[in-house]
Structures are given as structure tokens and as C-alpha cells.
């Protein structure tokens, strides 16, 4: 297999997800690949219920498209600082696993970089966390970066 052409990474604005962006950016820069940064967000109207359902994790779920755009702008700046040249950002509404997997398939990314945040949490064990869900369903290589 040759070098990666498209490296995808998801971010939710959390520090650990930005560490995954940094790692993906470094890999993309080395491979001269396109870096695809994805941020899934919830529609703004459902904030209250979402926060009750998620408890303390709610802080790491982006609500509304404006914060998603801001998160992506920050992520793009970090990626550029790591040497990535070709950077695309995508803000998509919906479930982080479903949306990231869809974008990865649609854009034919050959590497997906995810942080390990959530892998060990109780909710992660019960529900299958975002990184586990992505690695099971993405038809590409998946790199789990130790970000916590």
C-alpha cells in the first residue's frame, strides 16, 4: 500500500480531540495528504435534553453549527501549525459516529485518526464509544491516538 492520500480526523472542540487533530495533521503533512477535519454537531434546539441525558460529557458535544465552525477554524489553525497544507473542514449535523463514518466513506479517506477519550468510560463500555464505533465501521485504517 502506498502513502495515505486522505487523512480524516474528528474533533468536538475538546483538548483531547485537538491532540488527535495534531497527530493527524503531522501524518498528513508527512504523507503530503489531504487532511479532512470533521465536526459533528447537534441541532441547537435540543440542548436541555441532550445535557441531561449525557451528564458531564455534554460539554464535549458541539451544539449548533456556529460553534462547530469555530471548532473547525481552531482545528485548521492547529493543523496548519503542524505543517498540513491541504486542509478541508466539514461540519455535519447528527450523531458523531454516523456522520464521521459517512464523511470518511464519501470522501474515501484511507486513514481515520481518533482519540482514545471515552474508550474506558463506563458509558463507553455500555454503549460503544465514538472511537470504537468509528473503528468498527470505517472501511479504512484507523489510528487511535493516546490523547487523555
Amino acid at each position: 500500500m502506498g502513502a495515505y492520500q486522505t487523512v480524516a480526523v474528528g474533533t468536538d472542540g475538546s483538548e483531547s480531540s485537538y491532540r488527535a487533530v495534531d497527530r493527524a495533521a503531522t501524518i498528513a503533512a508527512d504523507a503530503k495528504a489531504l487532511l479532512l477535519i470533521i465536526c459533528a454537531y447537534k441541532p441547537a434546539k435540543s440542548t436541555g435534553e441532550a445535557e441531561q441525558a449525557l451528564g458531564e460529557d455534554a460539554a464535549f458535544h458541539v451544539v449548533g453549527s456556529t460553534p462547530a465552525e469555530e471548532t473547525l477554524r481552531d482545528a485548521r489553525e492547529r493543523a496548519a501549525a503542524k505543517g498540513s497544507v491541504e486542509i478541508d473542514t466539514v461540519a455535519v449535523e447528527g450523531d458523531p459516529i454516523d456522520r464521521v463514518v459517512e464523511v470518511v466513506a464519501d470522501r474515501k479517506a484511507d486513514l481515520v485518526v481518533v482519540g482514545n477519550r471515552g474508550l474506558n468510560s463506563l458509558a463507553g463500555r455500555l454503549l460503544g464509544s465514538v472511537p470504537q464505533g468509528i473503528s468498527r465501521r470505517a472501511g479504512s485504517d484507523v489510528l487511535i491516538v493516546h490523547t487523555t
Side-chain angles (χ1 to χ4, degrees):
M1 192 185 119
Y4 293 118
Q5 309 279 301
T6 302
V7 177
V9 62
T11 181
D12 57 11
S14 64
E15 189 50 44
S16 69
S17 77
Y18 281 148
R19 285 197 279 275
V21 169
D22 290 347
R23 190 63 193 277
T26 303
I27 293 166
D30 289 348
K32 298 186 174 40
L34 168 72
L35 177 66
L36 183 61
I37 308 173
I38 308 158
C39 180
Y41 63 90
K42 290 180 164 26
K45 60 182 180 299
S46 65
T47 346
E49 311 145 42
E51 276 173 23
Q52 282 163 349
L54 294 160
E56 63 191 42
D57 279 344
F60 293 108
H61 289 265
V62 179
V63 177
S65 60
T66 306
E69 296 297 346
E70 288 165 10
T71 294
L72 288 168
R73 199 162 45 240
D74 292 346
R76 176 189 282 274
E77 284 171 12
R78 288 184 72 131
K82 293 285 178 191
S84 278
V85 177
E86 209 184 338
I87 305 169
D88 273 1
T89 56
V90 186
V92 279
E93 187 178 311
D95 175 77
I97 296 177
D98 292 344
R99 294 294 91 82
V100 170
V101 169
E102 279 169 21
V103 173
V104 163
D106 185 50
R107 300 292 298 270
K108 298 180 173 54
D110 36 23
L111 177 66
V112 186
V113 177
V114 290
N116 67 336
R117 182 181 179 278
L119 280 174
N120 307 323
S121 72
L122 183 60
R125 279 201 210 100
L126 293 172
L127 304 170
S129 66
V130 173
Q132 286 166 321
I134 289 172
S135 65
R136 268 201 303 273
R137 289 173 44 195
S140 52
D141 290 358
V142 175
L143 173 66
I144 298 177
V145 180
H146 195 82
T147 57
T148 49

